[in-house]
């Protein structure tokens, strides 16, 4: 009986993505600073700047999850109590700009996770929404298959890891798996992952879930730099990459109807500005680079909502079909992942353009091809040889003395 | 049918109007200059709702978000505190509101609830979401059940009877001394108010000034008030108390760092001998500093928050200054003001106009200056003693400054990693321990709860001491900033009302400062160092010993050649032969024959021998 329906529902399934793919109906933002202590003031300022920007562009406070591991505004070392600045001109108080222009103010600040609550466990729980039932709604990422999610992270990191609070790390693989869980649970429509840390681009190399657009501040073996320091605050107040992101967003995105494309935003991060190679990973999104660059910036930073009209009762009947479809898709993806490495063996260099999952093996390719690593190996061998020589020389000397 | 509706309409209207009266909102600001250029400001916001409206989810001024949490968790009475700084009793006198609206440093929470343990966990989690604080860290290890220290402020028994619930309400108490109090806690606090900080006295509340204060405490108190036999109302009282340093608050926001004035603007103290042409010792200004509300709080009050019930209130602001002090009012409309019997001035806020108080510089007579500070009921201080990472001691001093005997309840809730030795608990001085409630700790599950009822003789000091042991935590139990130390929550002291002066059954409260306990803390990079060092030592030590044990040492001559050596030698041999052929034919012929013989026999031996004796002779030998 069911099987006779097969062609019709297959057709329906084929038609479905065409209608739903381009629409998102809500925007969420997860803004995370991961470093504690006063001298990491700039990371908090980075995150708060992004908080202000997305709030300015229309994402409401209950759709922003803000994670701040330390308290800078009311820190005893802060001369400007209750304020955090991201520029030495100190024209804009990121923490609460109620004082100067009350009517234009943000209406206070709401921090969802703070202090010791900012942990890798809580961050992954937040993404995958695995919480005890008593967890308050304001601290949950309640996204669905129609939500665009902006994830911004900043802190101290290295090759494929990011430190949390100077006591634990999240690796790029943890993050990739968390995103895959989000994908499987239909918790996002499209996602923009931004990270400002040293060797930031390595953090997104392991991603494999569709619909994730990733950008980072610096390539492998590169540092991310801070922009400038404020002598009265006493520490650096903002990082370069975030600074130029804000510069672009503040100058170009003047209203919630600005029609600026992502390509322009990404092109703004030149080496001259950022002092490191900012990277973008387009390949996980439908349409690849050309199509993604034509997306509007407000798709992720603003709260532009499409409207989708649901056809009431049909939804419930076809639920199991949708699930089946999702399962099939997952199976197909898993298969393609298994076959992907084989094809790479044949033609490793050309795989990036041709294969659906090109960046899975990118790390290993880098290791094999990178001239830098050969140099390192040579240096290692040379140092070993020198040490061995020294050992033999000392042996000879001792023998001589023993003879004497 | 229609008729019946028509008949009941007036009745419902009447009941609505009656209900409106029970929905009320009032606010009040108390200002009082303190010695040392300080200003005490106490904000009170009270809203009420009838219990029937609360039960049917109908709210007017009572914050809905909080009410829903209370309903869900079956909380009858709630007290929440956010506090920062220390009340300086020596110079500021007794505490405002008898310490009833004060909390220990950080966040403090206590509530009377009916229902199971999950209710408490739900409550702290929900409040953590509402107030942007990590209240969810109040787990079983930080929760205590005080017996004597707290009395419900509301009429809980009446309420229980009214709701026909049996069973007693339980009191649970938790403290987070390490919790930071900052602007993100003020934002939700203001959102609970009907005017949201846009009008009325709440428009003065600004995070920049509030958290710059020498001492501040924010409190949320919800209690049911039932008239015997009558209706119940639910009352929420939100208070903010702070002590501002007037001079510090008046610094401009854009440059709060104090910089030296140009020499022309400094009034020099001419009595000093070391004044130069560009430097001098400044003279202490005489009299009272000039200030105004807008300069201290950053803005004037933006009109009144005139909502239901507040019309009945006679005044919004009480200003407690000596009668000689000049106070100018800056407002567009005329402000009704009066002076109460105690000498403090009262004002009513204008409806839609800004309001500011201006106090010019003034030198007051000696009579006005010697304003007597009210003596606090008790002085208390608590310190950690001892040294080393293993043990320590707690030392508390309680001083009764009054000429009558006082009974106090001393409550200490200690974290589990501080293990008190109860046999060392000692009370010395003119005091007597009447009762003790003690719940011992369970590692990682429950902290110590220690409650003492102490009687202190008039004008005397009591010393309370005990020793404790510091537990060693597991590697993963340390917070990221473990080297800072661990905060020990404040001790709560309740001074019981003396029998002759029974103005309230609550008595008054004071809290000691929280303490910082250094625990034995490992160097967290140590495991990595240890792993690296051990691996190196093992690689070097084990490797060389293994080599010594397993290897056999022989002379070079004794070493048997191997296959590769044979091949090498043969090649070398071949080269030598070719060289020989070039030099002379005869030798080559003989050698050729010899080579053939060797190939048939033992290659290795042949090669060895040839190496020693040379190709020609080898050939001869074979022959």
């Amino acid at each position: 009986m069911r099987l006779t329906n097969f062609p019709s529902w297959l057709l329906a399934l084929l038609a479905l993505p065409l209608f739903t793919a381009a629409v998102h109906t809500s925007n969420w933002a997860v803004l995370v600073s991961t470093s504690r202590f006063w001298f990491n003031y700039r990371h908090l300022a980075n995150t708060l700047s992004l908080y202000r920007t997305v709030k300015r562009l229309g994402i409401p406070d209950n759709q922003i999850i803000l994670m701040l591991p330390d308290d800078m505004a009311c820190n005893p070392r802060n001369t400007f109590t209750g304020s955090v600045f991201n520029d030495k001109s100190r024209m804009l108080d990121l923490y609460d700009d109620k004082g100067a222009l009350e009517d234009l103010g943000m209406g206070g600040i709401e921090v969802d996770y703070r202090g010791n609550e900012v942990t890798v466990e809580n961050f992954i729980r937040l993404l995958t929404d695995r919480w005890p039932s008593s967890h308050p709604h304001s601290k949950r990422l309640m996204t669905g298959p129609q939500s665009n999610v902006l994830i911004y992270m900043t802190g101290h990191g290295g090759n494929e890891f990011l430190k949390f609070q100077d006591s634990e790390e999240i690796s790029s693989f943890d993050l990739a798996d968390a995103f895959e869980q989000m994908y499987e649970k239909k918790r996002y429509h499209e996602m923009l992952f931004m990270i400002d840390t040293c060797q930031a681009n390595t953090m997104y190399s392991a991603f494999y879930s569709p619909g994730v657009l990733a950008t980072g501040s610096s390539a492998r073996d590169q540092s991310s730099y801070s922009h400038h320091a404020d002598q009265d605050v006493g520490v650096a107040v903002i990082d370069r990459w975030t600074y130029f992101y804000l510069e672009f967003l503040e100058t170009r995105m003047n209203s919630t109807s600005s029609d600026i494309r992502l390509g322009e935003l990404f092109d703004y991060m030149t080496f001259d500005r950022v002092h490191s190679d900012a990277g973008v990973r387009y390949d996980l999104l439908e349409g690849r680079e050309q199509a993604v660059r034509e997306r509007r910036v407000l798709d992720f930073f603003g709260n532009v909502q499409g409207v989708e009209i649901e056809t009431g009762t049909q939804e419930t009947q076809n639920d199991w079909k949708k699930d089946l479809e999702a399962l099939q898709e997952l199976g197909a993806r898993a298969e393609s992942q298994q076959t992907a490495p084989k094809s790479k063996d044949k033609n490793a260099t050309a795989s990036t353009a041709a294969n659906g999952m090109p960046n899975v093996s990118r790390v290993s390719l880098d290791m094999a091809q990178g001239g830098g690593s050969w140099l390192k190996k040579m240096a290692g061998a040379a140092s070993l040889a020198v040490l061995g020589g020294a050992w033999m020389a000392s042996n000879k000397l001792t023998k001589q003395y023993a003879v004497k | 049918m229609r008729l019946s509706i028509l008949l009941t309409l007036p009745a419902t209207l009447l009941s609505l109007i009656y209900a409106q009266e029970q929905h009320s909102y009032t606010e009040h600001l108390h200002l009082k200059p303190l010695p040392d250029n300080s200003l005490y400001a106490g904000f009170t916001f009270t809203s009420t709702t009838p219990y029937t409206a609360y039960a049917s989810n109908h709210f007017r001024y009572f914050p809905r978000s909080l009410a829903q949490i209370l309903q869900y968790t079956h909380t009858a009475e709630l007290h929440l505190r956010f506090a920062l700084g220390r009340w300086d009793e020596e110079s500021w006198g007794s505490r405002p509101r008898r310490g009833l609206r004060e909390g220990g440093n950080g966040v403090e929470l206590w509530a009377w609830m009916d229902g199971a343990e999950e209710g408490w966990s739900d409550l702290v989690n929900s409040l953590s979401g509402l107030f942007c604080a990590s209240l969810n860290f109040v787990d079983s290890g930080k929760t205590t059940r005080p017996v004597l220290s707290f009395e419900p402020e509301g009429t809980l028994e009446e309420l229980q009877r009214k709701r026909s619930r049996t069973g007693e309400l339980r009191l649970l108490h938790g403290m987070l001394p390490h919790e930071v109090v900052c602007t993100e806690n003020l934002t939700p606090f203001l959102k609970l108010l009907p005017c949201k900080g846009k009008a009325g006295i709440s428009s003065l509340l600004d995070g920049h000034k509030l958290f710059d204060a020498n001492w501040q405490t924010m409190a949320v108190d919800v209690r049911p008030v039932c008239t015997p036999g009558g209706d119940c109302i639910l009352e929420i009282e939100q208070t903010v108390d702070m002590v501002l340093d007037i001079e510090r608050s008046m610094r401009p926001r854009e440059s709060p760092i104090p910089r030296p004035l140009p020499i022309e603007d400094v009034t020099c103290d001419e009595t000093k001998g070391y004044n130069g042409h560009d430097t001098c010792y400044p003279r202490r200004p005489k009299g009272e500093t000039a200030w105004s509300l807008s300069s201290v709080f950053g803005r004037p009050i933006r009109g009144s928050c005139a909502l239901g019930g507040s019309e009945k209130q006679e005044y919004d602001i009480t200003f407690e200054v000596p009668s000689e002090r000049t106070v100018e009012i800056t407002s567009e409309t005329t402000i009704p003001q009066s002076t109460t019997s105690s000498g403090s001035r009262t004002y009513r806020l204008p409806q839609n106009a800004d309001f500011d108080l201006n106090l010019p510089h003034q030198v007051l007579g000696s009579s006005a200056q010697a304003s007597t500070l009210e003596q606090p009921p008790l002085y208390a201080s608590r310190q950690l003693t001892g040294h080393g990472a293993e043990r320590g001691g707690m030392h508390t001093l309680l001083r009764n400054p009054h000429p009558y005997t006082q009974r106090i309840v001393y409550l200490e809730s200690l974290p589990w990693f501080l293990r008190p030795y109860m046999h060392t608990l000692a009370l010395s001085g003119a005091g007597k321990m009447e009762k003790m409630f003690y719940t011992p700790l369970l590692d990682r599950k429950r902290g110590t709860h220690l409650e003492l009822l102490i009687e202190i003789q008039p004008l005397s000091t009591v010393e309370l001491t005990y020793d404790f042991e510091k537990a060693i935590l597991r590697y993963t139990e340390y917070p990221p900033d473990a080297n800072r130390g661990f905060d020990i929550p404040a001790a709560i002291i309740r001074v019981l009302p003396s029998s002759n002066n029974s103005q309230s059954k609550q008595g008054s409260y004071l809290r000691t400062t929280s303490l910082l306990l250094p625990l034995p803390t490992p160097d967290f990079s140590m495991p990595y160092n240890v792993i690296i060092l051990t691996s190196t030592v093992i690689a070097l030590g084990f490797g060389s010993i293994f080599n010594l044990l397993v290897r056999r040492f022989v002379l070079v001559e004794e070493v048997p050649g191997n296959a590769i050596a044979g091949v090498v030698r043969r090649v070398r041999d071949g080269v030598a032969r070719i060289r020989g052929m070039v030099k002379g034919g005869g030798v080559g012929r003989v050698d050729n024959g010899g080579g053939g013989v060797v190939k048939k026999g033992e290659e290795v031996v042949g090669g060895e021998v040839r190496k020693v004796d040379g190709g020609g002779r080898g050939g001869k030998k074979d022959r």
Side-chain angles (χ1 to χ4, degrees):
Chain A
M1 181 61 194
R2 294 277 185 207
L3 283 173
T4 50
N5 286 341
F6 184 78
S8 64
W9 72 256
L10 189 70
L11 274 176
L13 290 181
L14 283 173
L16 259 175
L18 292 177
F19 288 114
T20 53
V23 182
H24 70 276
T25 55
S26 67
N27 275 81
W28 286 72
V30 181
L31 311 171
V32 193
S33 162
T34 62
S35 41
R36 186 177 267 272
F37 305 121
W38 172 247
F39 50 85
N40 291 319
Y41 184 95
R42 64 180 185 282
H43 294 148
L44 214 102
N46 287 345
T47 314
L48 286 170
S49 310
L50 256 289
Y51 172 74
R52 197 196 104 85
T53 305
V54 294
K55 220 168 153 180
R56 178 174 68 87
L57 294 174
I59 303 186
D61 229 334
N62 56 354
Q63 292 179 14
I64 305 174
I65 307 288
L66 185 58
M67 298 177 106
L68 301 179
D70 205 351
D71 153 60
M72 297 297 164
C74 295
N75 198 305
R77 291 197 204 182
N78 193 353
T79 333
F80 306 88
T81 311
S83 306
V84 174
F85 300 106
N86 67 354
D87 197 278
K88 64 180 173 192
S89 65
R90 296 200 292 270
M91 296 301 284
L92 177 68
D93 178 10
L94 298 168
Y95 219 67
D96 186 13
D97 57 354
K98 213 169 131 195
L101 291 162
E102 183 152 356
D103 299 332
L104 298 173
M106 293 193 299
I109 180 168
E110 284 179 20
V111 184
D112 298 293
Y113 293 84
R114 61 176 197 171
N116 294 347
E117 280 180 288
V118 182
T119 57
V120 173
E121 184 190 331
N122 279 356
F123 178 63
I124 292 192
R125 276 181 186 278
L126 175 79
L127 293 181
T128 54
D129 203 32
R130 293 169 189 266
W131 292 112
S133 58
S134 60
H135 201 70
H137 282 206
S138 64
K139 294 169 92 170
R140 284 169 66 169
L141 187 68
M142 303 211 287
T143 53
Q146 307 285 297
S147 312
N148 271 12
V149 184
L150 169 76
I151 296 185
Y152 175 85
M153 300 184 87
T154 181
H156 291 284
N159 190 2
E160 307 218 320
F161 72 88
L162 176 67
K163 285 204 293 182
F164 264 67
Q165 305 235 21
D166 213 13
S167 66
E168 50 181 353
E169 298 90 31
I170 188 170
S171 85
S172 56
F173 299 96
D174 299 337
L175 211 51
D177 291 342
F179 288 169
E180 176 63 13
Q181 276 196 43
M182 287 179 79
Y183 174 74
E184 285 170 7
K185 291 164 116 182
K186 296 184 185 165
R187 283 175 55 71
Y188 66 89
H189 171 245
E190 275 167 2
M191 188 193 289
L192 173 59
F193 176 78
M194 299 168 66
I195 182 159
D196 190 352
T197 169
C198 294
Q199 315 196 35
N201 299 357
T202 58
M203 273 307 276
Y204 58 69
S205 56
F207 291 178
Y208 55 96
S209 313
V212 180
L213 173 63
T215 174
S217 62
S218 51
R220 222 169 92 110
D221 293 338
Q222 274 183 344
S223 294
S224 259
Y225 297 101
S226 68
H227 189 267
H228 67 271
D230 182 330
Q231 295 305 317
D232 283 345
V233 176
V235 283
V237 288
I238 194 160
D239 282 326
R240 293 200 79 87
W241 189 71
T242 309
Y243 181 86
F244 288 105
Y245 252 90
L246 292 174
E247 190 174 271
F248 184 92
L249 293 170
E250 289 287 324
T251 51
R252 304 290 303 278
M253 306 290 294
N254 293 320
S255 75
T256 45
S257 57
S258 309
D259 192 30
I260 310 290
R261 306 290 158 159
L262 277 177
E264 281 181 71
L265 175 63
F266 293 146
D267 290 344
Y268 195 72
M269 305 301 136
T270 57
F271 189 85
D272 288 341
R273 290 202 174 95
V274 186
H275 293 189
S276 55
D277 290 313
V280 187
R281 193 170 160 197
Y282 296 106
D283 58 293
L284 293 172
L285 245 80
E286 213 173 298
R288 299 288 168 80
E289 187 162 347
Q290 295 79 14
V292 175
R293 288 175 61 84
E294 282 304 307
R295 293 283 167 83
R296 299 199 311 159
V297 173
L298 282 176
D299 281 354
F300 294 102
F301 287 90
N303 193 31
V304 182
Q305 299 177 341
V307 176
E308 196 196 354
I309 298 150
E310 280 186 15
T311 49
T313 50
Q314 211 176 357
E315 196 72 15
T316 49
Q317 279 179 356
N318 289 343
D319 258 2
W320 67 274
K321 291 178 183 171
K322 276 191 177 173
D323 289 347
L324 195 65
E325 171 215 4
L327 276 175
Q328 277 179 339
E329 201 181 314
L330 280 177
R333 255 160 37 76
E335 263 177 43
S336 73
Q337 268 174 48
Q338 279 174 354
T339 52
K342 284 177 195 164
S343 68
K344 277 197 193 76
D345 289 340
K346 290 174 197 160
N347 195 353
T349 45
S351 68
T352 40
N355 205 295
M357 295 286 132
N359 282 56
V360 177
S361 65
R362 192 157 123 181
V363 188
S364 58
L365 284 178
D366 279 355
M367 278 176 75
Q369 292 171 349
S373 57
W374 278 113
L375 272 178
K376 279 179 192 167
K377 280 175 190 169
M378 295 282 281
S383 60
L384 271 179
V386 167
L387 281 175
W391 182 66
M392 282 172 74
S394 66
N395 256 357
K396 274 192 178 170
L397 278 173
T398 47
K399 264 184 196 169
Q400 276 180 5
Y401 283 115
V403 170
K404 276 172 191 173
Chain B
M1 183 70 187
R2 288 256 173 90
L3 193 72
S4 67
I5 292 173
L6 273 175
L7 282 173
T8 50
L9 196 66
T12 43
L13 274 176
L14 264 178
S15 69
L16 264 177
I17 290 163
Y18 177 68
Q20 294 293 2
E21 279 179 0
Q22 285 191 319
H23 288 282
S24 73
Y25 172 74
T26 53
E27 55 179 37
H28 179 249
L29 170 63
H30 186 119
L31 291 167
K32 182 185 177 185
L34 294 171
D36 292 337
N37 247 335
S38 298
L39 172 72
Y40 161 75
F43 297 75
T44 314
F45 311 93
T46 317
S47 348
T48 59
T49 181
Y51 216 89
T52 46
Y54 167 73
S56 58
N57 265 319
H58 168 59
F59 303 105
R60 203 171 156 82
Y61 306 116
F62 197 94
R64 175 184 293 270
S65 50
L66 188 62
Q68 284 174 341
I69 292 174
L70 298 179
Q71 280 174 343
Y72 179 69
T73 56
H74 306 291
T75 307
E77 185 172 325
L78 171 82
H79 302 272
L80 179 63
R81 304 278 185 272
F82 299 89
L84 205 63
R86 186 178 74 92
W87 176 267
D88 185 0
E89 285 156 325
E90 305 287 339
S91 46
W92 300 338
S94 69
R95 283 151 196 264
R97 309 172 205 265
R98 301 200 324 274
L100 283 172
R101 293 287 172 266
E102 200 182 310
N105 249 333
V107 179
E108 190 178 334
L109 169 75
W110 67 100
W112 276 266
M113 16 200 352
D114 68 341
E117 196 81 329
E118 294 87 56
W120 176 248
S121 148
D122 285 344
L123 178 71
V124 294
N125 273 296
S126 314
L127 289 177
S128 102
L130 187 63
F131 285 101
C132 297
S134 311
L135 273 162
N136 47 323
F137 285 140
V138 179
D139 51 5
S140 65
K142 293 194 174 87
T143 306
T144 53
R145 292 174 176 76
V147 185
L148 298 172
S149 296
F150 297 102
E151 289 281 340
E153 287 182 15
T155 48
L156 295 182
E157 286 136 17
E158 284 280 334
L159 180 76
Q160 285 294 87
R161 209 175 305 138
K162 214 160 176 52
R163 293 194 298 175
S164 56
R165 290 261 175 86
T166 50
E168 216 166 296
L169 291 166
R170 291 187 303 169
L171 166 68
L172 291 141
H173 179 266
M175 278 173 120
L176 289 173
H178 186 28
E179 191 64 16
V180 173
V181 182
C182 202
T183 316
E184 64 261 31
N185 304 119
L186 180 66
T187 310
F189 184 91
L190 288 178
K191 276 187 182 171
L192 296 183
L193 298 174
C195 286
K196 320 258 180 225
K198 304 279 184 206
I201 57 167
S202 61
S203 60
L204 286 184
L205 289 172
D206 178 13
H208 301 100
K209 302 290 180 189
L210 177 58
F211 300 108
D212 203 19
N214 287 339
W215 172 85
Q216 72 88 7
T217 171
M218 291 195 289
V220 179
D221 297 86
V222 184
R223 60 168 186 264
V225 181
C226 299
T227 46
D231 288 330
C232 283
I233 58 165
L234 197 65
E235 186 178 285
I236 178 170
E237 188 177 280
Q238 286 176 261
T239 57
V240 179
D241 289 328
M242 56 174 146
V243 176
L244 288 165
D245 184 332
I246 292 177
E247 221 165 285
R248 188 179 158 90
S249 288
M250 285 203 299
R251 287 179 198 156
R253 247 189 80 198
E254 51 276 8
S255 62
I257 300 169
R259 295 177 209 279
L261 289 167
I263 190 73
E264 298 84 47
D265 299 349
V266 181
T267 40
C268 293
D269 188 349
E270 302 297 342
T271 58
K272 307 284 178 192
Y274 46 73
N275 291 346
H277 70 282
D278 57 347
T279 48
C280 76
Y281 189 86
R283 194 168 358 154
R284 208 182 164 79
K286 262 190 185 173
E288 307 286 312
T289 325
W291 59 272
S292 65
L293 274 186
S294 54
S295 63
V296 168
F297 288 95
R299 61 186 105 162
I301 298 177
R302 286 163 206 274
S304 72
C305 178
L307 292 166
S310 59
E311 293 88 5
K312 287 180 223 148
Q313 206 181 353
E314 279 170 36
Y315 48 87
D316 301 308
I317 299 173
T318 310
F319 193 22
E320 214 178 303
V321 278
S323 48
E324 292 87 13
R325 187 90 163 99
T326 321
V327 180
E328 295 157 8
I329 303 163
T330 325
S331 180
E332 286 161 19
T333 52
T334 49
I335 305 297
Q337 56 168 308
S338 57
T339 312
T340 60
S341 55
S342 61
S344 52
R345 290 163 225 200
T346 56
Y347 306 95
R348 250 199 91 97
L349 288 175
Q351 274 289 344
N352 286 311
D354 284 1
F355 173 88
D356 199 0
L357 288 175
N358 204 353
L359 288 90
H361 176 77
Q362 198 181 6
V363 182
L364 294 182
S366 56
S367 61
Q369 273 180 337
S371 58
T372 47
L373 289 169
E374 205 186 322
Q375 203 164 31
L378 191 83
Y379 292 98
S381 70
R382 187 176 67 150
Q383 305 86 31
L384 286 175
T385 58
H387 56 86
E390 202 187 348
R391 289 199 178 86
M394 193 77 86
H395 179 254
T396 312
L397 277 176
L398 304 164
R399 181 158 69 88
N400 178 7
H402 294 287
Y404 47 84
T405 307
Q406 289 199 95
R407 289 168 80 227
I408 65 153
V409 179
Y410 179 85
L411 167 70
E412 207 147 28
S413 44
L414 303 168
W416 68 265
F417 46 79
L418 190 148
R419 297 171 175 152
Y421 291 147
M422 290 312 285
H423 68 278
T424 60
L425 182 79
L427 192 72
S428 59
K432 182 168 94 212
M433 201 188 299
E434 287 185 2
K435 260 182 197 171
M436 178 162 84
F437 292 89
Y438 170 63
T439 317
L441 63 91
L442 290 173
D443 271 2
R444 293 176 181 83
K445 287 200 189 85
R446 190 172 72 193
T448 307
H449 157 226
L450 177 65
E451 218 168 355
L452 306 171
L453 182 63
I454 302 170
E455 193 185 75
I456 306 178
Q457 296 302 312
L459 301 168
S460 59
T461 305
V462 166
E463 205 175 331
L464 179 76
T465 54
Y466 60 86
D467 293 342
F468 60 80
E469 185 190 57
K470 302 177 190 178
I472 292 181
L473 302 189
R474 288 181 190 142
Y475 183 69
T476 48
E477 282 169 344
Y478 287 95
D481 55 350
N483 288 302
R484 180 184 168 274
F486 292 72
D487 291 80
I488 306 298
I492 300 167
I493 297 159
R494 176 183 176 197
V495 182
L496 292 172
S498 47
S499 50
N500 54 358
N501 176 25
S502 56
Q503 55 172 351
S504 94
K505 58 175 181 174
Q506 297 282 336
S508 55
Y509 284 85
L510 68 149
R511 282 161 172 84
T512 64
T513 50
S514 56
L515 297 170
L516 203 54
L517 175 78
L519 280 191
T521 308
D523 172 2
F524 291 98
S525 62
M526 209 54 206
Y528 305 100
N529 298 346
V530 168
I531 290 167
I532 291 165
L533 191 71
T534 342
S535 321
T536 315
V537 166
I538 284 177
L540 285 176
F542 173 79
S544 45
I545 289 169
F546 182 78
N547 272 338
L548 277 173
L549 290 176
V550 170
R551 282 225 172 139
R552 194 156 56 89
F553 289 89
V554 287
L555 290 172
V556 178
E557 287 77 16
E558 295 170 34
V559 177
N562 56 24
I564 301 167
V567 171
V568 169
R569 259 137 225 170
R570 214 175 297 157
V571 170
R572 203 192 289 160
D573 203 23
V575 172
R577 221 184 303 145
I578 292 162
R579 244 192 234 159
M581 275 161 76
V582 171
K583 278 179 185 168
V587 182
R589 192 183 48 82
V590 171
D591 196 55
N592 210 7
V597 175
V598 171
K599 240 181 219 172
K600 278 180 211 161
E602 311 130 36
E603 289 171 359
V604 177
V605 173
E608 208 54 44
V609 169
R610 235 176 279 160
K611 189 205 162 196
V612 175
D613 299 328
R617 261 193 258 170
K620 273 179 201 164
K621 197 186 173 186
D622 270 346
R623 254 182 229 160

